[in-house]
Short mmCIF file of all heavy atoms in Angstrom, two decimals:
data_model
loop_
_atom_site.label_atom_id
_atom_site.label_comp_id
_atom_site.label_asym_id
_atom_site.label_seq_id
_atom_site.Cartn_x
_atom_site.Cartn_y
_atom_site.Cartn_z
N LEU A 12 138.99 14.60 132.02
CA LEU A 12 139.42 14.21 130.68
C LEU A 12 138.24 14.10 129.73
O LEU A 12 137.08 14.22 130.12
CB LEU A 12 140.15 12.87 130.75
CG LEU A 12 139.45 11.76 131.55
CD1 LEU A 12 138.50 10.96 130.68
CD2 LEU A 12 140.46 10.85 132.21
N TRP A 13 138.58 13.85 128.49
CA TRP A 13 137.56 13.51 127.48
C TRP A 13 137.66 12.02 127.18
O TRP A 13 138.71 11.52 126.76
CB TRP A 13 137.78 14.30 126.20
CG TRP A 13 137.40 15.74 126.31
CD1 TRP A 13 138.25 16.82 126.36
CD2 TRP A 13 136.07 16.28 126.40
NE1 TRP A 13 137.54 17.98 126.47
CE2 TRP A 13 136.20 17.69 126.51
CE3 TRP A 13 134.80 15.71 126.42
CZ2 TRP A 13 135.10 18.53 126.62
CZ3 TRP A 13 133.70 16.54 126.53
CH2 TRP A 13 133.85 17.93 126.61
N ASP A 14 136.56 11.29 127.42
CA ASP A 14 136.44 9.92 126.95
C ASP A 14 136.03 9.97 125.48
O ASP A 14 134.92 10.43 125.16
CB ASP A 14 135.36 9.16 127.75
CG ASP A 14 135.87 8.71 129.11
OD1 ASP A 14 137.03 8.30 129.21
OD2 ASP A 14 135.09 8.77 130.08
N CYS A 15 136.93 9.53 124.61
CA CYS A 15 136.66 9.61 123.17
C CYS A 15 135.99 8.32 122.70
O CYS A 15 136.64 7.33 122.34
CB CYS A 15 137.96 9.86 122.42
SG CYS A 15 138.73 11.43 122.88
N LEU A 16 134.67 8.33 122.74
CA LEU A 16 133.86 7.18 122.33
C LEU A 16 133.65 7.21 120.82
O LEU A 16 133.77 8.27 120.19
CB LEU A 16 132.52 7.22 123.05
CG LEU A 16 132.58 7.07 124.57
CD1 LEU A 16 131.67 8.07 125.25
CD2 LEU A 16 132.19 5.67 124.96
N PRO A 17 133.34 6.07 120.23
CA PRO A 17 133.01 6.05 118.80
C PRO A 17 131.88 7.03 118.46
O PRO A 17 131.86 7.59 117.36
CB PRO A 17 132.58 4.60 118.56
CG PRO A 17 133.31 3.81 119.59
CD PRO A 17 133.36 4.69 120.80
N GLY A 19 131.42 9.90 119.90
CA GLY A 19 131.83 11.28 120.16
C GLY A 19 132.41 11.44 121.55
O GLY A 19 132.28 10.55 122.40
N PRO A 20 133.07 12.59 121.82
CA PRO A 20 133.72 12.79 123.12
C PRO A 20 132.72 13.04 124.25
O PRO A 20 131.71 13.70 124.07
CB PRO A 20 134.60 14.03 122.89
CG PRO A 20 133.92 14.76 121.77
CD PRO A 20 133.28 13.72 120.91
N VAL A 21 133.03 12.45 125.43
CA VAL A 21 132.20 12.63 126.62
C VAL A 21 133.13 13.02 127.77
O VAL A 21 134.17 12.38 127.97
CB VAL A 21 131.44 11.34 126.98
CG1 VAL A 21 130.66 11.51 128.27
CG2 VAL A 21 130.52 10.93 125.84
N SER A 78 143.67 15.98 128.89
CA SER A 78 143.68 14.52 128.84
C SER A 78 142.59 13.96 127.91
O SER A 78 141.47 14.47 127.88
CB SER A 78 143.46 13.97 130.25
OG SER A 78 143.46 12.56 130.26
N LYS A 79 142.96 12.90 127.20
CA LYS A 79 142.01 12.15 126.38
C LYS A 79 142.15 10.66 126.67
O LYS A 79 143.25 10.17 126.94
CB LYS A 79 142.26 12.39 124.89
CG LYS A 79 141.87 13.76 124.38
CD LYS A 79 142.10 13.83 122.89
CE LYS A 79 141.71 15.20 122.33
NZ LYS A 79 141.96 15.30 120.88
N VAL A 80 141.04 9.96 126.58
CA VAL A 80 141.02 8.51 126.74
C VAL A 80 140.28 7.93 125.53
O VAL A 80 139.15 8.33 125.24
CB VAL A 80 140.31 8.09 128.04
CG1 VAL A 80 140.24 6.57 128.14
CG2 VAL A 80 141.02 8.67 129.25
N LEU A 81 140.93 7.00 124.86
CA LEU A 81 140.29 6.32 123.74
C LEU A 81 139.48 5.16 124.29
O LEU A 81 140.03 4.29 124.99
CB LEU A 81 141.34 5.83 122.75
CG LEU A 81 142.34 6.91 122.28
CD1 LEU A 81 143.33 6.33 121.28
CD2 LEU A 81 141.62 8.11 121.70
N VAL A 82 138.17 5.14 124.04
CA VAL A 82 137.26 4.19 124.68
C VAL A 82 136.69 3.21 123.66
O VAL A 82 136.22 3.60 122.59
CB VAL A 82 136.09 4.95 125.37
CG1 VAL A 82 135.15 3.95 126.04
CG2 VAL A 82 136.63 5.94 126.39
N ASP A 83 136.73 1.93 124.03
CA ASP A 83 136.07 0.88 123.24
C ASP A 83 134.86 0.42 124.06
O ASP A 83 135.01 -0.27 125.07
CB ASP A 83 137.04 -0.28 123.00
CG ASP A 83 136.39 -1.45 122.27
OD1 ASP A 83 135.19 -1.35 121.92
OD2 ASP A 83 137.08 -2.48 122.07
N ASP A 84 133.67 0.82 123.61
CA ASP A 84 132.46 0.46 124.36
C ASP A 84 131.61 -0.57 123.62
O ASP A 84 130.40 -0.64 123.78
CB ASP A 84 131.62 1.71 124.67
CG ASP A 84 131.05 2.36 123.41
OD1 ASP A 84 131.48 1.98 122.29
OD2 ASP A 84 130.20 3.25 123.55
N ILE A 90 133.88 -2.09 129.47
CA ILE A 90 134.41 -1.02 128.64
C ILE A 90 135.93 -0.96 128.79
O ILE A 90 136.47 -1.05 129.89
CB ILE A 90 133.76 0.32 129.03
CG1 ILE A 90 132.27 0.26 128.68
CG2 ILE A 90 134.42 1.49 128.34
CD1 ILE A 90 131.45 1.40 129.20
N LYS A 91 136.65 -0.80 127.65
CA LYS A 91 138.11 -0.75 127.65
C LYS A 91 138.58 0.68 127.39
O LYS A 91 137.99 1.40 126.58
CB LYS A 91 138.68 -1.70 126.58
CG LYS A 91 138.38 -3.16 126.86
CD LYS A 91 139.02 -4.06 125.82
CE LYS A 91 138.88 -5.53 126.17
NZ LYS A 91 137.47 -5.97 126.16
N TYR A 92 139.68 1.07 128.10
CA TYR A 92 140.17 2.45 128.04
C TYR A 92 141.65 2.47 127.65
O TYR A 92 142.45 1.70 128.17
CB TYR A 92 140.03 3.13 129.40
CG TYR A 92 138.63 3.14 129.97
CD1 TYR A 92 138.16 2.08 130.76
CD2 TYR A 92 137.77 4.20 129.75
CE1 TYR A 92 136.89 2.08 131.29
CE2 TYR A 92 136.49 4.22 130.28
CZ TYR A 92 136.06 3.16 131.05
OH TYR A 92 134.78 3.17 131.58
N ASN A 93 142.02 3.37 126.74
CA ASN A 93 143.43 3.64 126.44
C ASN A 93 143.70 5.09 126.88
O ASN A 93 143.30 6.03 126.19
CB ASN A 93 143.70 3.46 124.94
CG ASN A 93 145.13 3.82 124.56
OD1 ASN A 93 146.02 3.91 125.42
ND2 ASN A 93 145.38 4.04 123.28
N ILE A 94 144.34 5.23 128.03
CA ILE A 94 144.50 6.54 128.66
C ILE A 94 145.83 7.15 128.22
O ILE A 94 146.91 6.65 128.57
CB ILE A 94 144.45 6.40 130.20
CG1 ILE A 94 143.18 5.65 130.62
CG2 ILE A 94 144.50 7.77 130.87
CD1 ILE A 94 143.19 5.16 132.05
N LEU A 95 145.77 8.23 127.45
CA LEU A 95 146.99 8.85 126.93
C LEU A 95 147.80 9.47 128.07
O LEU A 95 147.25 9.89 129.09
CB LEU A 95 146.63 9.91 125.89
CG LEU A 95 145.78 9.41 124.70
CD1 LEU A 95 145.56 10.51 123.68
CD2 LEU A 95 146.40 8.17 124.04
N THR A 96 149.13 9.50 127.89
CA THR A 96 150.03 9.91 128.97
C THR A 96 150.57 11.33 128.78
O THR A 96 150.35 11.96 127.74
CB THR A 96 151.21 8.93 129.08
OG1 THR A 96 151.87 8.86 127.81
CG2 THR A 96 150.74 7.55 129.49
#
Side-chain angles (χ1 to χ4, degrees):
L12 48 88
W13 287 108
D14 281 321
C15 298
L16 295 136
V21 176
S78 180
K79 288 183 179 179
V80 177
L81 308 181
V82 180
D83 176 2
D84 66 349
I90 294 171
K91 295 183 173 65
Y92 303 88
N93 177 16
I94 307 166
L95 304 184
T96 56

